[in-house]
Amino acid sequence: MLDQTRALGLPLDEARVTRLLGGGGGRYVAPNPGAAQHQSLTGAWWLAEGLLPRRQIDRQGRNQGTRWPLLKWSLLGQPRAIAPESKIHISVRQHQQLRASYNPPNLPAEPHFVAQ
């Protein structure tokens, strides 16, 4: 997106961009498709996963939504569905190539990888 922003001539704070992309040290790290996967569903997020209402399409395309979120325990912790026609960022394929153990269960059978 930064390249698209630059191409449109929109102003960017280049020092901030460099810092946020891990070029200036500190708490930010550079993008790395080979890095270890981050587990974000921890602690209080499990509580939110069970209590917040949601609608989800399962892998077969069936609507799994419910107005009673506590009755849908089978969806807890499940990865969200990705439609077959979805565009998937190229970093997913790069991560798969760099880490043989990385095999997302929700990728379409024939994913459409894109650079942007």
Side-chain angles (χ1 to χ4, degrees), residues 28-88:
Y28 298 104
V29 296
N32 178 2
Q37 184 175 351
H38 174 72
Q39 178 57 268
S40 60
L41 190 55
T42 59
W45 284 111
W46 274 107
L47 180 62
E49 180 81 357
L51 295 177
L52 296 176
R54 64 197 174 280
R55 297 187 69 79
Q56 179 171 338
I57 305 298
D58 70 10
R59 291 187 189 114
Q60 286 75 42
R62 296 182 303 243
N63 189 339
Q64 295 294 313
T66 177
R67 293 184 333 158
W68 307 101
L70 295 177
L71 299 178
K72 268 300 181 200
W73 289 107
S74 63
L75 294 179
L76 286 178
Q78 294 294 313
R80 66 180 176 177
I82 300 176
E85 67 277 2
S86 296
K87 296 177 182 176
I88 314 246

Side-chain angles (χ1 to χ4, degrees), residues 19 22-28:
R19 184 174 51 87
R27 66 181 191 180
Y28 298 104

